Amino acid sequence: MTLGPSITITQIEGFKFVVDFGAAFPTLATDEPEPIGRESGPSPEQVLIAGVSNCLCASLAFALGKFGQDGGGVTATASAAIVRNAEKRLRIGGIAVDITLGAAAEAMPRIEQVLAQFERFCTVSESVKAGIPVTVAVRDGHGMPLR
């Protein structure tokens, strides 16, 4: 196995932690929502869906470039469904990512090829899908669903 990215997490107080990504990047404070935490930073669930969404957007940008398509920028919104398992413990039951391109579909003649493969480039979402369903929708700059 190849050693990949690493982080260090340190508890500050209660449920507030600081995530250290190394000397090249600023730290990130995380916290749980009220009433458990104080909401002084994103929750671990938000960090997870940010990672999934960011990777999908980067993979889409990569695929657009690979096929010489100008997507006009990539934006995404994402949400997680929080459910209880058989033991009544909270779990992420699914992640939904809605990606919007800035360009109209007709300005991207090879968009079908892009859409057919961009998700497979995403290390994070493809890994997470092994345990959590991830659904992805893509729209063009006019809001037209592309998939």
Side-chain angles (χ1 to χ4, degrees):
M1 181 176 2
T2 303
L3 184 62
S6 65
I7 60 164
T8 302
I9 297 178
T10 304
Q11 183 182 23
I12 302 303
E13 65 177 334
F15 296 95
K16 182 177 181 177
F17 290 80
V18 170
V19 183
D20 185 339
F21 298 95
F25 304 105
T27 60
L28 172 68
T30 64
D31 200 354
E32 292 290 335
E34 293 181 354
I36 295 170
R38 294 189 178 145
E39 293 185 60
S40 63
S43 69
E45 295 86 356
Q46 288 174 305
V47 174
L48 176 64
I49 64 174
V52 168
S53 302
N54 184 224
C55 190
L56 282 164
C57 288
S59 295
L60 182 54
F62 174 80
L64 286 163
K66 177 180 173 185
F67 287 101
Q69 305 300 287
D70 181 0
V74 179
T75 305
T77 58
S79 60
I82 305 299
V83 299
R84 291 197 183 269
N85 66 7
E87 298 172 339
K88 307 282 190 229
R89 308 234 186 253
L90 294 175
R91 298 292 181 259
I92 295 175
I95 298 171
V97 182
D98 191 358
I99 301 172
T100 302
L101 295 169
E106 57 269 12
M108 300 175 282
R110 299 180 76 191
I111 190 64
E112 290 303 322
Q113 292 164 298
V114 170
L115 296 173
Q117 62 179 262
F118 84 94
E119 283 187 70
R120 291 179 291 184
F121 296 131
C122 182
T123 304
V124 178
S125 71
E126 290 297 296
S127 299
V128 168
K129 281 180 186 178
I132 301 171
V134 176
T135 59
V136 181
V138 179
R139 303 177 198 299
D140 76 355
H142 296 300
M144 182 179 83
L146 300 175
R147 70 179 293 262

